Amino acid sequence: MKHCRSVKSKGKKEEAMHSRVTRPTIGIGMVGHGFMGSVHTHAWRSVDRLFDAPLRPELVAVCGLRWPEAQEAAVRLGYGAAEPDYLRLLERDDVGIVDVCTPNHSHAEIAIAALAAGKHVLCEKPLAATVTEAEEMVEAAARARSHGQYAMVGFTYRRVPAIALAKQIVREGRLGTIRHVRARYLQDWLVDPCFPLAWRLKREYAGTGALGDLGAHIIDLAQFVTGKRIEGVSALLETFIKERPLPADSDSPSPAGDAIGPVTVDDAALFHARFEGGAIGAFESTRFALGRENHISLEINGSAGSIVYDFESMNELQLWDAAGAKMVSGFRRVAVQEPINAYVQKWWPPGHDYAFTSQAFDFLTTITEGRDPAPTFADALQVQRVMAAVESSSAANGAFVDVVATDAQQHA
Ligand SMILES: NC(=O)c1ccc[n+]([C@@H]2O[C@H](COP(=O)([O-])OP(=O)(O)OC[C@H]3O[C@@H](n4cnc5c(N)ncnc54)[C@H](O)[C@@H]3O)[C@@H](O)[C@H]2O)c1
């Protein structure tokens, strides 16, 4: 029986390998190559290595606002070509997915044109700068769907395993009737009054400020996890710094000179909300919370339990439920890192993604500069000696063993 099982699983493995080699590709057309364009490109590159996706993405072409920068981005990000604008990108038959990573005011125009050109669309959040544009996008997506094209929005935090588990806990009724939702998204990068008037601070480009930039994420998270829509709100928006220096150009992080312009979006957004089903919620988003780099938190209290999520401990949930409370008081820490948790099986273990990329960067830099990349072989030899001493000690019933170099090692 054992033999039969192993033959079967070998067959399955070969089948899977074969399907990985033969499965179709799909061309990615990236619109925008700033922060999100780079992050999305990294995702398109690594999805094939981590997941058994039915399509293999190919980085076909990228475009941006300015031509020379698009050419540079094609090389930097690994696209086969740069295109001068999104219309030229849409003309390409080898582009199957258009990834919209541009400022909010352009999402509707680009996404609607892409869907009409027969492409699938992944669009960054917030969906649009206005509700009217968003409604037009929904209509375009419905039309495209009837022709087999699909559209999605980049509310990425839904894919965090702990958030997926929180949703499952709520859906299974383990919190009972939901009464309270508390959600916060705090950053601090706008505190400096010299930070220039970038597109994110202008209504005509961004639509809103902290509300759309950060608040959109927690509104989506709260509705996603609870499964309940927000039906009404009572809100307070504030713009603390009303004028800022004009940037050297629309993408630039540095001021051009003494000229200033008005900030036309909110710096902070606070609101209370009523959810369908009777729950009430408190939401806060700001880019003025000094010390907060990317703080997202969500607390949900129901009639039978509570969950607390804090993105700074992204693979944890705090859970309080009546069953646990019989044994211990307070919240229980649930580590969401098991293969049974959504996505975890295919995620790198914590830290492995960026630590390995940083390692590759340091290696490339130091060999170019003619320096020894560390840790050196000699550093690792010392680790090896310690391991050998551990084995020797264990073999000698735990006797103390010095970590020493062999003659050969001493002369190495
Ligand atoms: N999901 C998230 O967590 C997250 C995080 C940050 C930003 N975003 C969203 O991503 C989008 C882009 O933000 P970003 O931080 O990458 O901005 P960015 O300023 O870093 O980059 C914007 C890019 O768009 C290009 N561009 C601007 N107008 C264009 C046009 N008409 N046609 C083609 N290219 C154009 C620019 O050349 C630039 O390459 C925004 O909607 C933002 O809200 C999402």
Side-chain angles (χ1 to χ4, degrees):
M1 280 301 281
K2 243 184 180 172
H3 176 69
C4 291
R5 262 204 300 273
S6 75
V7 167
K8 195 172 165 200
S9 72
K10 194 176 167 205
K12 268 193 174 163
K13 203 173 162 190
E14 275 167 5
E15 209 176 284
M17 274 168 61
H18 179 70
S19 76
R20 275 182 78 83
V21 173
T22 56
R23 86 212 125 110
T25 59
I26 187 157
I28 306 299
M30 179 63 68
V31 189
H33 44 72
F35 177 32
M36 275 303 108
S38 304
V39 172
H40 281 220
T41 301
H42 179 65
W44 291 123
R45 277 179 176 288
S46 49
V47 64
D48 197 40
R49 289 173 197 125
L50 290 178
F51 291 84
D52 296 322
L55 296 170
R56 191 153 48 82
E58 271 186 358
L59 304 180
V60 168
V62 59
C63 70
L65 210 48
R66 279 180 288 271
W67 173 240
E69 288 172 16
Q71 282 181 306
E72 182 276 328
V75 174
R76 173 171 51 90
L77 300 175
Y79 284 86
E83 292 293 348
D85 56 44
Y86 81 84
L87 292 170
R88 290 284 291 277
L89 188 125
L90 298 188
E91 284 170 9
R92 296 186 65 123
D93 291 336
D94 52 357
V95 167
I97 296 175
V98 171
D99 192 344
V100 185
C101 291
T102 58
N104 312 341
H105 74 301
S106 56
H107 291 181
E109 178 187 322
I110 299 170
I112 291 170
L115 290 166
K119 317 292 186 190
H120 303 288
V121 169
L122 171 57
C123 181
E124 258 307 337
K125 48 51 60 179
L127 183 56
T130 67
V131 170
T132 308
E133 287 171 3
E135 284 169 349
E136 287 165 7
M137 293 172 81
V138 169
E139 283 167 20
R143 278 194 301 275
R145 194 177 187 284
S146 63
H147 298 109
Q149 272 80 47
Y150 296 93
M152 187 172 110
V153 184
F155 284 124
T156 336
Y157 296 110
R158 286 188 180 204
R159 262 90 195 181
V160 170
I163 291 292
L165 180 62
K167 182 175 176 62
Q168 183 187 331
I169 288 170
V170 173
R171 195 177 47 224
E172 286 172 358
R174 291 173 58 188
L175 301 191
T177 305
I178 304 303
R179 302 258 164 78
H180 286 287
V181 176
R182 263 166 241 107
R184 301 200 300 174
Y185 196 159
L186 315 175
Q187 296 181 346
D188 68 357
W189 55 276
L190 275 185
V191 170
D192 181 357
C194 295
F195 189 94
L197 193 64
W199 68 261
R200 281 187 163 79
L201 296 161
K202 296 195 228 172
R203 192 171 180 79
E204 65 270 33
Y205 291 99
T208 60
L211 179 60
D213 192 16
L214 311 180
H217 274 301
I218 51 175
I219 293 167
D220 181 66
L221 274 186
Q223 295 187 133
F224 174 69
V225 173
T226 61
K228 305 283 183 202
R229 283 174 183 242
I230 293 173
E231 291 184 324
V233 300
S234 154
L236 204 56
L237 298 178
E238 184 55 71
T239 305
F240 302 115
I241 296 179
K242 316 274 187 215
E243 291 180 325
R244 287 181 179 271
L246 297 182
D249 60 58
S250 62
D251 289 345
S252 171
S254 46
D258 292 338
I260 55 168
V263 174
T264 47
V265 296
D266 56 282
D267 283 335
L270 292 179
F271 67 91
H272 293 151
R274 281 196 183 281
F275 287 74
E276 62 185 351
I280 55 174
F283 291 74
E284 181 179 10
S285 53
T286 178
R287 302 182 283 200
F288 277 73
L290 261 183
R292 298 294 195 179
E293 284 295 314
N294 198 39
H295 175 92
I296 305 171
S297 61
L298 179 68
E299 175 161 343
I300 299 176
N301 312 127
S303 57
S306 295
I307 44 176
V308 179
Y309 177 70
D310 177 350
F311 190 59
E312 281 155 12
S313 304
M314 77 174 277
N315 294 321
E316 283 179 31
L317 261 191
Q318 302 290 329
L319 173 67
W320 191 101
D321 61 9
K326 282 184 189 141
M327 295 178 283
V328 284
S329 62
F331 282 83
R332 281 180 292 148
R333 173 183 168 274
V334 179
V336 191
Q337 298 182 30
E338 293 300 321
I340 54 156
N341 297 124
Y343 310 113
V344 169
Q345 201 170 18
K346 299 293 182 180
W347 278 32
W348 300 115
H352 279 63
D353 191 352
Y354 288 118
F356 277 73
T357 311
S358 305
Q359 171 174 279
F361 170 73
D362 283 348
F363 188 72
L364 294 172
T365 306
T366 45
I367 62 170
T368 308
E369 292 172 356
R371 295 186 292 117
D372 264 336
T376 62
F377 279 15
D379 294 330
L381 169 61
Q382 168 62 8
V383 175
Q384 210 74 36
R385 286 173 182 153
V386 174
M387 295 190 303
V390 168
E391 285 190 314
S392 302
S393 169
S394 169
N397 235 352
F400 192 84
V401 171
D402 289 328
V403 175
V404 287
T406 62
D407 280 353
Q409 287 167 344
Q410 271 165 348
H411 294 112

